Amino acid sequence: MLAMILAAIDGLLGIGACVGAAIAAIGAGIGIGKIGASAMEAIARQPEATGDIRSNMIVIAALVEGVALFAVVVCLLSFFL
């Protein structure tokens, strides 16, 4: 009985890890899209600040991508460990 419960939990952990990785990737895509849209709007309003806006956009997008990568790695580690 206990072995059956543990086997069922093990299967659900795999599904949970996959869903978690997918949510992290989707969230990062939405976040980076919003960053890009906001940056383009800001550049359209103030073209003289293009350099500052672009550099800030790249830094923020890199931070979002790093957090998403960390979330995917954690999900994959929970899947394999």
Side-chain angles (χ1 to χ4, degrees), residues 2-80:
L2 182 61
M4 289 175 41
I5 293 172
L6 290 176
I9 290 174
D10 190 39
L12 291 177
L13 284 177
I15 293 171
C18 293
V19 169
I23 290 172
I26 290 169
I30 292 171
I32 291 173
K34 285 187 178 243
I35 290 167
S38 297
M40 292 299 112
E41 184 179 336
I43 289 171
R45 289 181 183 205
Q46 272 189 318
E48 65 274 3
T50 300
D52 293 334
I53 294 169
R54 184 181 300 132
S55 63
N56 287 335
M57 178 188 69
I58 290 172
V59 168
I60 294 169
L63 290 173
V64 169
E65 191 69 29
V67 168
L69 181 64
F70 181 70
V72 169
V73 167
V74 167
C75 290
L76 290 175
L77 283 175
S78 70
F79 179 69
F80 289 116

